[in-house]
Amino acid sequence: MQNPLSFANVIAKPQKTTENMRFAISDEEGKYRLDLKKNNSYTISVSYLGYETTSFVITPAENIIKDIILVEAKNQLDEVVIELPVTVKKDTIIYSDCISD
C-alpha cells in the first residue's frame, strides 16, 4: 500500500499554446482535482520534495480518475546538523569564533 502525499503539486500544461495551464495541490488524503477541457491534450507533471517528478500526456474525453505513484529521489541529501557557536554556562553566554579557513 502506498502512502498518500499531501501538498503534492499537479500541473497540467496544455499542448495548445493558446490555453492556460491548470494546477492543483493534493489534499491530506493525496487527492487532487483538475478541471480540464475535454478532447484537449495536456502534459501532466506531478512533483513533491524528495521525490522524482513524473510526467505523462493525457487527452480526457470524460471524467477520469488517475492514481499517480511517485518514486523517491535517489540523490537526496542526508540529515544536516548545525551546531551553533554559542555556549551557555550558568549566567554567562560564550560566543565562539565561527570563521574557519
Side-chain angles (χ1 to χ4, degrees):
M1 170 101 184
Q2 301 291 327
N3 293 327
L5 295 175
S6 54
F7 307 111
N9 294 304
V10 185
I11 299 172
K13 182 179 179 185
Q15 300 290 323
K16 294 180 181 179
T17 57
T18 58
E19 298 286 329
N20 291 327
M21 289 195 326
R22 313 285 177 144
F23 67 91
I25 297 174
S26 62
D27 65 13
E28 302 83 29
E29 297 175 357
K31 295 181 180 181
Y32 65 96
R33 180 184 175 93
L34 289 170
D35 293 319
L36 305 176
K37 292 186 177 181
K38 292 182 181 182
N39 300 317
N40 285 353
S41 293
Y42 295 87
T43 299
I44 308 295
S45 296
V46 183
S47 62
Y48 190 85
L49 188 62
Y51 289 81
E52 293 181 15
T53 299
T54 187
S55 298
F56 56 92
V57 176
I58 191 168
T59 306
E62 58 187 41
N63 289 339
I64 59 172
I65 295 175
K66 176 78 173 167
D67 292 330
I68 302 165
I69 298 174
L70 298 180
V71 177
E72 281 191 53
K74 296 175 186 169
N75 56 353
Q76 292 187 50
L77 296 175
D78 289 333
E79 179 180 314
V80 175
V81 177
I82 300 174
E83 294 182 19
L84 297 176
V86 175
T87 306
V88 178
K89 291 184 181 180
K90 295 186 182 181
D91 64 347
T92 304
I93 299 175
I94 303 169
Y95 296 93
S96 301
D97 183 8
C98 61
I99 299 174
S100 60
D101 294 321

